[in-house]
Amino acid sequence: MMDAVKLALAGVVLLAGAIVAVATGILPLSELGVVAKRVLPILAFVVAVTVVAELAAKAGVFDVTASWLARMSRGRTALLWALVVALAIVTTAFLSLDTTAVLLTPVVIAVARANGLPPLPFALATVWLANTASLLLPVSNLTNLLALARMPGAADPTSFVLLLGPSAAVAVLVTVALLWVIHRRSLVGSFTVAPPPQVSDRVQLVAASVIVLALLPLLVSGIEPWIPATVAALALIGLFAWRSPKALGLRLVPWSLLVFAAGLFSAVAALEAWGSGQLATAVAGSGSAPVDLLRMSGTALVTANALDNLPAYLLLESTADTPERLAAVLIGVNAGPLITPWASLATLLWHQRLVAAGVHLPWRRFILWGLVAAPLVVAAATVPLLLR
């Protein structure tokens, strides 16, 4: 709760700064209107997919899926971990990294404990893959949706996948390999499979599962993502109004994230009007030669871990004047935020769930692992761009 309040307060401060910029003439009101037109569909998607994920979780979709994976593993620890990894990748790709960090993390922790397994190997997989697997589809990360309009064939998910698909695959494979190396001793052996969770409302569970499954292909159909996500959210709201009306409320809307995002977009627009693009170009360089692309993705990695991945993307976007450079920025800001706690909002939300579940992971250890993983993942994911 406090994290949400702090996030909202930060957004209010940023909005106040943007208002001052407009009042003093630094940021023309017309440019702020352009920013609003660009980001409103994205924020609409964020609201809708958050409602979908929250209500699907309340219906038991994630709990039942994770329990089913445990039965599928037939008591083999390594296989259960691999299935959880696959679930984290799919959840991140279609329902965004925040869904994986916030809703899937407590589920996999509970499944690990129910089956007598250490929860940390499963929990770390969700947060690392929430970030690195967010390169897979436009809807996987807010930064991707922002970048999509700048790509050839704008608003077409195919153009995004063709450009970033190989890099995304490399990022995921390297991440999984590193996770296995870190936790391989904890993932040997077998366990006795726990009984499936009790389902309080099977009709609600089945209906919610059908809605979510119907949504997934629509998110990559070429329709603007906020449209099918909104339809799915309304369908789930209708379902819960019928079956569990007490579960509904304004708390389903991620207000703090909306205020923060609105403030951030406005503040970055003001910085760009003030000339931040020149500084970004001086740091990130130019050109699409191999060394230039590595410099671009490396700069994005450092900036994301110093600030946060969303402002890092917004600050560097103006330097990405080719599809390859834009892809390099996304690789750095999506797959790179594995070091500092604030590099990705998903990481902060994940740690909040970790503490609530009683799983202890010192930030020092998280940072040390990230210092090894982030450069390896980002460098390896940049290689396919060099071969284009």
Side-chain angles (χ1 to χ4, degrees):
M1 183 64 180
M2 284 305 296
D3 286 344
V5 172
K6 291 177 182 177
L7 197 65
L9 287 174
V12 170
V13 171
L14 291 170
L15 279 172
I19 292 171
V20 170
V22 171
T24 56
I26 294 173
L27 176 61
L29 193 59
S30 59
E31 289 190 20
L32 192 59
V34 171
V35 171
K37 184 178 179 181
R38 180 185 181 195
V39 303
L40 281 176
I42 295 172
L43 295 182
F45 170 75
V46 170
V47 172
V49 81
T50 299
V51 171
V52 168
E54 290 281 358
L55 292 180
K58 289 179 184 294
V61 173
F62 294 120
D63 290 317
V64 170
T65 301
S67 176
W68 177 72
L69 294 182
R71 295 195 299 278
M72 286 285 292
S73 72
R74 297 182 179 180
R76 288 170 286 183
T77 305
L79 181 54
L80 174 59
W81 181 81
L83 291 171
V84 166
V85 162
L87 178 61
I89 293 169
V90 172
T91 303
T92 299
F94 288 96
L95 297 178
S96 87
L97 71 169
D98 292 336
T99 298
T100 300
V102 176
L103 300 178
L104 191 59
T105 296
V107 170
V108 301
I109 289 174
V111 166
R113 283 178 168 161
N115 290 286
L117 301 172
L120 188 56
F122 298 86
L124 189 66
T126 60
V127 70
W128 275 15
L129 287 166
N131 287 290
T132 62
S134 71
L135 282 168
L136 286 165
L137 295 173
V139 295
S140 307
N141 200 321
L142 203 57
T143 55
N144 300 346
L145 291 171
L146 288 167
L148 190 61
R150 297 174 63 90
M151 293 183 177
D156 178 13
T158 303
S159 63
F160 183 95
V161 173
L162 289 175
L163 177 62
L164 274 155
S167 294
V170 170
V172 167
L173 289 172
V174 174
T175 301
V176 173
L178 289 170
L179 286 166
W180 175 261
V181 169
I182 292 171
H183 295 297
R184 63 191 183 281
R185 293 180 182 176
S186 302
L187 297 175
V188 297
S190 58
F191 61 93
T192 301
V193 179
Q198 295 294 321
V199 177
S200 59
D201 189 333
R202 187 164 293 278
V203 172
Q204 184 170 263
L205 170 64
V206 172
S209 300
V210 169
I211 291 169
V212 172
L213 288 173
L215 172 63
L216 299 187
L218 293 175
L219 290 176
V220 293
S221 65
I223 303 171
E224 287 195 56
W226 71 270
I227 297 175
T230 300
V231 172
L234 291 174
L236 282 167
I237 289 170
L239 172 65
F240 273 75
W242 170 41
R243 307 293 297 188
S244 306
K246 291 182 179 179
L248 299 175
L250 290 176
R251 62 187 178 278
L252 290 172
V253 178
W255 297 109
S256 58
L257 179 58
L258 289 180
V259 173
F260 176 73
L264 188 60
F265 287 127
S266 303
V268 171
L271 287 174
E272 288 182 340
W274 208 2
S276 65
Q278 295 178 350
L279 176 61
T281 300
V283 175
S286 60
S288 295
V291 67
D292 298 320
L293 295 178
L294 286 168
R295 178 180 176 180
M296 183 82 264
S297 62
T299 300
L301 182 159
V302 172
T303 308
N305 282 284
L307 300 176
D308 177 80
N309 65 336
L310 187 53
Y313 171 79
L314 292 171
L315 289 169
L316 294 172
E317 183 185 56
S318 61
T319 70
D321 53 0
T322 67
E324 289 77 18
R325 286 184 64 80
L326 187 61
V329 173
L330 289 176
I331 289 168
V333 300
N334 287 14
L338 304 179
I339 303 172
T340 58
W342 57 83
S344 168
L345 177 62
T347 301
L348 291 173
L349 296 172
W350 166 82
H351 189 260
Q352 190 179 41
R353 294 301 187 273
L354 216 63
V355 172
V359 178
H360 181 62
L361 174 61
W363 279 123
R364 181 176 63 178
R365 190 188 306 175
F366 181 89
I367 291 169
L368 288 174
W369 283 340
L371 283 169
V372 174
L376 287 175
V377 173
V378 169
T382 308
V383 170
L385 294 181
L386 313 182
L387 303 177
R388 283 174 62 87

